[in-house]
């Protein structure tokens, strides 16, 4: 209690220092007076009496000091003093301060922003119960490591496995929702009844699906996503029990999912319905349309689960040699399934940002080193006046803390801005596949990361000047204060720092070069058609009313006829899946008259209308395009791509040959009527695959893309396309309208974003390290002015001086470049998966980075070299 | 030096408290002189050290200070014992007695520390 009271009083003592000092002075004066009075009374001379009184009081200064320390908290008092001094120092060297803070903020901003992405995607657990025990279980084939699961296989897996406490499946879907403003296609996911129980997610409103609710013939029920509930139903609690029309069928809403729930493969899924396993695909073991989600039993590892599933897959392969040949199993953690693709990218970007941060820190350190060099005299004077070494050290720590605090505050603000900027650069589609990024922001993890970085920077910046300062060498400091000898420590240490910095810059430059070149190569990829002047729109027909193929075909024919007649339209075509989307939607084919051993000839399967190839301007290599006569009434026709022709008909003319399904079922036999040059079905960086095209009218689907070539701008035709579709049937939905050029370009979006971000890092790194190099060389020149003066006085030419300085810079650059190139190859090898069409040790890129750095380094060191060469020897010598 | 003993650390506050208790409100100079006199001029008191000690006592609430006039009409700061100060004095005096008693027993030639 007593202590507390005293401590509080001392804290308040930090204020009102002046009045307290005056009061003490008064009190001491009174003391001396009274003592003097007494002494006089005792018979002393007045002067003698006062002197005696003063002596009795002892050292006045010591008393004052003791009193002062007692009346406040010396630590705080001193810190405040240090702080004031630090601020004054920093203000006096505004250029230094601003540069240091800006560089720090830049490094912090970049790395904190990148960490926030890493945190949101890779660190933050998925919003399910005990998410680390969840796995994705799928089949696996030679072509795709993770391939869909067929319904019958799923049932066997569920029955036979010994490693999952539960196994459920989902499959992507979509519905046409009737809204007051018309029909709207909405994304949906079909799941088995136990799906949410496996995830450990309980609806926040209403109920989960009952067990058995996924049986054929069970009533149609739906669970809403939180966003959909808010948007479409205004967040009303009485939404439960309401009926919505999905694709023309009534569904009863039974639940609403929690707000924080997300499921990356489902994207922006609004409706979750049970999969009644009643379509034709789910009756065939060879039709793969499901993805499994399972919860591991306690104590079962992912490896053990994989082994179990692989043995089951083997068993099924023996049991169903036709359907299950080559169908293995894949089990990976659910988080890997969701974020496996972006993980290496995010880690690479975090690494890049880390390098930038390091460069910034090194730069600030070397600036501090230069400053400590210049402050040796000040330190020596303070030391001579009695400042303790601890106090001097504290001064440096205080200054670095001020720098770091300002830099960090600015950096965190910059990171926040950068995050928003980067998120706004991610397209809606990409974002919907990465719902975990919605949690991006300045949360505790991110702030803790920023704090740790700031702490490390503060330690680094406090230590840097200390390395330089030998605090006890007061005399030396005083003596050589004005002498122009560059400290050897500085030469050795500061120079090395700059070489390190240059090396890191080379790594980033090479990285940016490789990624940029990858992007360029990606954009140069031959897609096999002309994407300009093509407008595209996806059409979704309702289930009800389009049960019969003829209806769908009639709609398609009318849509083609009407859009072809639109002004400016040169031709129009229909394809079930746009090119440059993804490989998949495959078919197993077999060739009539060729030996067959039960292998699965897996090829991409697409459905195209007669004018499709003409519209996209794909090249016909042999045979003919489809015609309007290739309809349901005629023999089945097929167009194959060049890859298929090369692989399965080497040296043969494939026209007229026949293909069928694995069993060559009579009604599956189709005749090859044409060969087209490869049109890239998958993304730009994917492999070309053999493909078959069936006439749309012989294999119609209620979901297809309409592709229109126009002589005008693509944008101007888009509204007309939508209007035309709705004119034919107002219940038809349209989605994803856009241009083919955008669609193709979007396939390179990921590469583009990475290239831009790393390019940005590299540019900043180059700027920072050249500033660093300039600083080092300029400082060296300023320290060597006298030496240069002497050299010139002794007859050195200006050219010699140039060479002297540029050699110094050249050495640093060479060392930095050498180390940097080697590290860059190493770093690029680590991320070689992200490169496209280029090796990690691409010589032109390495040479380009080296050349860029050399030019920049030359520019950075030219200015100080010129200053050195223009030194006037007479003045240089006189200054000293 | 000249046969005087230095004031032990920590005892100055106790002496000051006792002085104020016995003489009533008193200024620093008075306290210092009184301590010297009481010790029979054996203690060498550096007057300057008294003031920080008084400040500490004041901060702890044992004494209060007020400006007033001395017997010779000099303006001086007078220190007065508070109730908390009186309690502190009693407690510390008791403690001090115990310590000296133990030390005395310890140091007496006949005494056996066991």
């Amino acid at each position: 209690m007593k202590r507390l009271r005293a401590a509080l009083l001392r804290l308040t003592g930090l204020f009102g220092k002046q009045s307290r000092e005056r009061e003490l002075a008064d009190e001491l004066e009174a003391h001396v007076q009274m003592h003097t009075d007494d002494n006089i009374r005792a018979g002393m001379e007045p002067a003698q009496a006062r002197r005696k009184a003063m002596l009795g009081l002892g050292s006045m200064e010591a008393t004052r000091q003791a009193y002062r320390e007692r009346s406040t908290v010396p630590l705080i008092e001193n810190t405040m003093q240090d702080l004031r001094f630090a601020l004054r120092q920093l203000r006096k060297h505004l250029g230094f301060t601003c540069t240091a803070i800006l560089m720090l903020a830049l490094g912090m901003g970049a790395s904190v922003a990148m960490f926030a992405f890493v945190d949101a995607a890779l660190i933050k657990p998925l919003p399910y119960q005990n998410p680390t025990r969840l796995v994705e279980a799928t089949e696996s084939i030679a072509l795709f490591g993770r391939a869909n699961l067929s319904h019958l296989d799923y049932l066997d897996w569920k029955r036979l496995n010994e490693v999952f406490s539960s196994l459920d499946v989902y499959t992507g879907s979509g519905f046409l929702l009737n809204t007051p403003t018309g029909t709207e296609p909405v994304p949906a996911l079909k799941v088995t009844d136990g799906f949410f129980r496996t995830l450990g997610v309980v609806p926040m409103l209403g109920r989960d699906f009952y067990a058995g609710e996924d049986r054929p013939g069970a009533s149609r029920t739906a669970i809403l996503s939180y966003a959909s509930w808010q948007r479409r139903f205004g967040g009303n609690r009485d939404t439960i029990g309401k009926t919505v029309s999905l694709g023309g069928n009534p569904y009863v809403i039974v639940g609403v999912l929690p707000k924080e729930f997300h499921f990356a493969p489902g994207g922006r899924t609004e409706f979750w319905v049970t999969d009644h396993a009643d379509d034709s695909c789910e009756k065939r073991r060879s039709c793969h349309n499901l993805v499994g989600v399972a919860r591991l039993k306690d104590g079962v590892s992912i490896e053990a689960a994989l082994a179990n599933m692989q043995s089951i897959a083997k068993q099924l392969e023996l049991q169903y040699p036709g359907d299950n040949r080559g169908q293995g199993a894949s089990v990976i953690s659910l988080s890997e399934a969701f974020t496996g693709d972006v993980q290496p990218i995010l880690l690479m970007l975090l690494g890049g940002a880390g390098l930038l941060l390091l460069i910034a820190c090194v730069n600030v350190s070397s600036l501090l080193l230069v400053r400590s060099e210049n402050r040796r005299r000040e330190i020596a004077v303070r030391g001579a006046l009695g400042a303790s070494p601890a106090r001097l050290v504290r001064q440096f720590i205080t200054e670095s803390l001020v720098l770091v605090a300002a830099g960090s505050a600015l950096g965190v603000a910059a990171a926040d801005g950068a995050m928003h900027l980067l998120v706004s650069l991610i397209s809606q589609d990409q974002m919907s596949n990465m719902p975990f990024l919605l949690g991006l922001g300045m949360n505790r993890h991110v702030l803790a990361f920023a704090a740790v970085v700031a702490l490390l920077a503060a330690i680094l910046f406090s230590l840097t000047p200390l390395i330089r300062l030998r605090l006890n060498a007061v005399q030396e400091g005083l003596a050589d204060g004005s002498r122009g000898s560059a400290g050897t420590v500085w030469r050795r240490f500061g120079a090395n720092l700059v070489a390190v910095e240059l090396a890191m810059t080379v790594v980033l430059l090479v990285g940016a070069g490789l990624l940029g070149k990858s992007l360029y190569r990606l954009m140069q990829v031959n897609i096999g058609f002309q994407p300009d002047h093509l407008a595209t729109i996806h059409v979704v027909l309702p289930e009800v009313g389009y049960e019969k193929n003829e209806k769908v075909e009639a709609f398609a024919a009318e849509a083609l006829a009407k859009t072809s007649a639109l002004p400016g339209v040169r031709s129009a075509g229909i394809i079930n899946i746009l090119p440059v989307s993804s490989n998949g939607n495959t078919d197993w084919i077999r060739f009539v008259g060729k030996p067959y051993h039960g292998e699965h000839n897996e090829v991409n399967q697409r459905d195209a209308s007669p004018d499709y190839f003409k519209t996209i301007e794909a090249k016909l290599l042999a045979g003919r395009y489809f015609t309007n006569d290739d309809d349901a009434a005629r023999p089945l026709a097929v167009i194959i791509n060049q890859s298929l022709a090369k692989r399965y008909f080497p040296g043969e003319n494939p026209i007229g040959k026949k293909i069928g399904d694995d069993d060559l079922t009579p009604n599956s036999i189709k005749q090859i009527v044409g060969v087209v040059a490869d049109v890239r079905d998958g993304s730009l960086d994917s492999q070309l695959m053999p493909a078959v095209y069936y006439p749309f009218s012989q294999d119609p689907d209620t979901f297809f893309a309409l592709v229109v070539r126009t002589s005008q701008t693509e944008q101007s035709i888009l509204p007309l396309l939508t209007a035309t579709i709705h004119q034919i049937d107002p219940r038809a939905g349209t989605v994803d309208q856009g241009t083919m050029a955008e669609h193709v370009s979007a396939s390179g979006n990921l590469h583009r974003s990475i290239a831009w971000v790393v390019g940005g890092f590299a540019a900043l790194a180059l700027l920072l390290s050249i500033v660093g190099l300039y600083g080092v060389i300029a400082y060296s020149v300023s320290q060597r002015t006298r030496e240069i003066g002497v050299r010139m006085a002794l007859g050195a030419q200006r050219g010699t001086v140039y060479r002297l300085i540029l050699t110094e810079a050249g050495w640093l650059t060479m060392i930095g470049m050498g180390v940097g190139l080697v590290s860059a190859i190493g770093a690029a090898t680590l991320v070689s998966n992200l490169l496209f069409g280029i090796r990690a040790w691409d010589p032109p890129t390495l040479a380009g980075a080296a050349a860029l750095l050399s030019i920049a380094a030359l520019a950075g060191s030219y200015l100080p070299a010129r200053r050195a060469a223009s030194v006037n020897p007479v003045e240089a010598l006189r200054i000293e | 030096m000249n046969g005087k003993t230095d004031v032990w650390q920590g005892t100055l506050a106790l002496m000051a408290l006792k002085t104020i208790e016995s003489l009533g409100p008193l200024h620093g100079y008075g306290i210092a002189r009184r301590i010297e006199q009481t010790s029979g001029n054996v203690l060498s008191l550096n007057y300057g050290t008294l003031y920080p000690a008084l400040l500490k006592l004041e901060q702890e609430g044992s004494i209060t200070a007020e400006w007033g006039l001395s017997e010779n009409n000099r303006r001086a700061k007078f220190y007065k014992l508070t109730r908390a100060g009186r309690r502190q004095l009693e407690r510390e005096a008791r403690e001090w007695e115990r310590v000296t008693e133990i030390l005395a027993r310890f140091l007496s030639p006949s005494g056996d520390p066991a």
Side-chain angles (χ1 to χ4, degrees), chain A residues 150-152 278-289:
Chain A
S150 77
H151 182 70
L152 294 175
D278 49 7
D279 68 24
S280 67
C281 176
E282 292 177 326
K283 296 188 173 66
R284 285 183 288 139
R285 197 173 281 276
S286 61
C287 186
H288 303 93
N289 65 333

Side-chain angles (χ1 to χ4, degrees), chain A residues 294-308:
Chain A
R295 186 169 285 279
L296 294 172
K297 277 185 184 162
D298 284 344
V300 173
S301 68
I302 292 182
E303 292 74 33
L306 177 62
N308 184 229

